[in-house]
Amino acid sequence: MSLPLPAFIALRYATAGKQNSFVSFINKFSVAGIALGLAALIIVLSVMNGFESQLKQRVLGIVPQVVAYAPLSDETITTLPGVRAAMPYRETEGVIQSRQGLRGVQIHGVDANVMSAQSIVSDNLLTGRFSDLAARSFHVIIGRALATQLDVRPGDRLRVMLAGASIYTPFGRMPSQRLVTVSGIYDLGSQMDSKVVYMSLADLTRLMRLRADTPANTRLFLDDAFAYQQVVDALAPLEITVDNWRSRQGPLFDAVKMEKNMMFLMLLLIIAVAAFNIVSALVMVVSEKQGDIAILQTQGMTGRRMMSVFMLNGLFNGVKGALIGLVAGVAIVINLNTLLELLGIPIVLSADGAGVPVVIQWSQVILVTVFSLMLCVLASVYPATRAMRVNPATALQNE
């Protein structure tokens, strides 16, 4: 396949390595820098995406994603974007006591059928089922961390006390309390495992001293928890008070996002340094090839075409580095845990002990690859401009 003259010359300059070993070394060094920077960027972003996905799945699987403090009709729910299910719901704070001590917890009154079908908690039950939370059974499902702290097992009895639903007795004002039975234990490996207790909605209503026909709130399950704002905006015209996960866990996800952005910027500096190496290499090539440039100009090559030769030279170096970095980065990400195991590095950060969580977002991979190529093209502008300004008479006189 025949190439245009500027592309042919640029390819010769980019691949030739015997004319000037030092320039060739700088070229290879810049290509290696781009490959290393891009591979590191892909690896770090994929690992950070994995951590974010773990948090999103496990923390937001327990925390209500959106709660409307009013009953919602089926017609209203079907019009909400990104909502896959809804259920009547109550939540209150209380104290749970065992023989080993007591802990402050959040008690969620839920619909067992909806939780079984829609909640990630049902997929991470070590024992029991949500169907055990029948009305008037006063059964509860607790997290493994809380069960360890209280030293309880399925079938043990606990005392639940609600200060917000106190009653008057001959001994003074006493919190509403009830003995409950542990029917299940879940384990999501998140900080919420020790804080959230599930109970039948009807039982929590009785424990809170509310009438059975008191309207419950509505908990919404979203396809994407990060897309909560569109649901909040859709409920705004109804003038219903709405809460979402950001009011509780927003700072945690903001910190993860900020850390990912900072790592992205820091690793971009590696690619930027490699791009500066391209500037150095091309400036040396321009200085070395002034005689060739002058001859080409005397044979009719315009300044713009001469400029394109060195722009393409930088682009070819960038393409080589980007391809190597892309392949190496994706290969390492796919086999990261295997490589860590072979190297004897005992890193187990996933909640289920499966190793480092990684998620490759191809849109990110394409974006950083294109950005690397753009940096290489921009780095080639100055040397290409110098080549365009070479004076043929002066250059040939000095040869």
Side-chain angles (χ1 to χ4, degrees):
M1 182 181 65
S2 61
L3 295 174
L5 182 60
F8 176 77
I9 298 173
L11 186 61
R12 288 288 300 273
Y13 284 167
T15 56
K18 296 181 179 179
Q19 287 82 355
N20 190 319
S21 58
F22 184 71
V23 173
S24 175
F25 170 77
I26 296 295
N27 262 326
K28 292 177 180 178
F29 190 80
S30 60
V31 170
I34 293 168
L36 178 63
L38 184 58
L41 195 54
I42 291 173
I43 294 168
V44 170
L45 287 178
S46 298
V47 172
M48 294 299 295
N49 290 336
F51 287 138
E52 188 176 54
S53 176
Q54 289 276 317
L55 286 174
K56 180 179 178 181
Q57 184 180 23
R58 298 179 182 276
V59 174
L60 300 188
I62 297 179
V63 175
Q65 297 167 356
V66 175
V67 176
Y69 291 101
L72 297 181
S73 64
D74 292 340
E75 293 79 7
T76 301
I77 294 171
T78 55
T79 62
L80 297 176
V83 175
R84 70 172 188 270
M87 71 175 183
Y89 169 81
R90 293 191 198 282
E91 178 184 345
T92 187
E93 294 183 350
V95 174
I96 193 166
Q97 181 182 27
S98 72
R99 294 179 179 179
Q100 299 298 320
L102 49 85
R103 293 289 187 275
V105 295
Q106 298 174 6
I107 305 174
H108 293 186
V110 298
D111 184 314
N113 294 328
V114 178
M115 290 295 290
S116 297
Q118 302 295 335
S119 176
I120 188 178
V121 179
S122 64
D123 299 328
N124 290 271
L125 286 170
L126 302 179
T127 60
R129 302 183 303 270
F130 270 101
S131 58
D132 297 333
L133 304 183
R136 297 180 180 273
S137 67
F138 286 96
H139 284 190
V140 295
I141 293 177
I142 66 176
R144 181 179 181 180
L146 181 61
T148 301
Q149 293 172 5
L150 298 176
D151 192 22
V152 296
R153 296 170 179 81
D156 290 350
R157 304 268 280 178
L158 299 171
R159 183 176 299 276
V160 175
M161 295 172 283
L162 304 183
S166 58
I167 57 175
Y168 289 96
T169 70
F171 301 99
R173 191 170 182 175
M174 300 289 291
S176 176
Q177 55 185 296
R178 179 82 187 209
L179 287 174
V180 297
T181 303
V182 178
S183 63
I185 295 177
Y186 68 88
D187 182 17
L188 269 77
S190 75
Q191 60 180 353
M192 302 303 296
D193 287 9
S194 62
K195 299 179 181 178
V196 175
V197 173
Y198 292 100
M199 179 184 290
S200 166
L201 176 62
D203 290 350
L204 183 58
T205 301
R206 290 171 61 87
L207 190 58
M208 293 175 68
R209 304 283 177 178
L210 299 176
R211 292 168 52 94
D213 57 354
T214 303
N217 305 322
T218 304
R219 176 173 174 173
L220 303 177
F221 295 87
L222 308 184
D223 295 326
D224 182 6
F226 287 174
Y228 69 93
Q229 191 59 49
Q230 59 183 354
V231 179
V232 174
D233 294 340
L235 290 172
L238 302 179
E239 297 183 353
I240 296 175
T241 303
V242 178
D243 191 16
N244 58 74
W245 62 266
R246 280 202 62 85
S247 62
R248 308 181 189 190
Q249 300 296 329
L252 173 62
F253 285 88
D254 289 342
V256 172
K257 185 176 181 180
M258 181 184 69
E259 184 177 0
K260 184 166 70 172
N261 291 338
M262 290 304 298
M263 293 297 293
F264 177 80
L265 291 175
M266 289 173 61
L267 290 171
L268 272 184
L269 293 178
I270 299 178
I271 301 176
V273 169
F276 282 119
N277 288 332
I278 289 179
V279 175
S280 304
L282 288 182
V283 167
M284 291 180 182
V285 171
V286 170
S287 299
E288 180 189 7
K289 302 295 183 181
Q290 284 200 7
D292 297 348
I293 294 171
I295 292 173
L296 290 172
Q297 287 177 333
T298 57
Q299 292 181 349
M301 179 173 280
T302 62
R304 288 185 179 276
R305 298 190 73 189
M306 182 59 64
M307 182 177 180
S308 65
V309 169
F310 292 93
M311 293 285 290
L312 290 171
N313 190 356
L315 179 61
F316 289 154
N317 286 334
V319 169
K320 286 192 293 184
L323 286 177
I324 295 171
L326 177 62
V327 173
V330 172
I332 292 174
V333 168
I334 294 174
N335 301 283
L336 181 59
N337 288 300
T338 303
L339 290 173
L340 292 176
E341 185 177 352
L342 290 175
L343 294 173
I345 303 176
I347 299 179
V348 179
L349 299 176
S350 181
D352 55 4
V356 178
V358 291
V359 174
I360 299 177
Q361 292 185 5
W362 292 106
S363 58
Q364 281 185 345
V365 173
I366 294 172
L367 178 63
V368 296
T369 303
V370 172
F371 189 78
S372 301
L373 294 176
M374 289 177 59
L375 279 179
C376 295
V377 172
L378 290 175
S380 306
V381 171
Y382 173 70
T385 304
R386 286 195 58 179
M388 183 178 65
R389 294 175 180 174
V390 169
N391 188 329
T394 305
L396 292 174
Q397 183 178 5
N398 294 331
E399 282 294 320

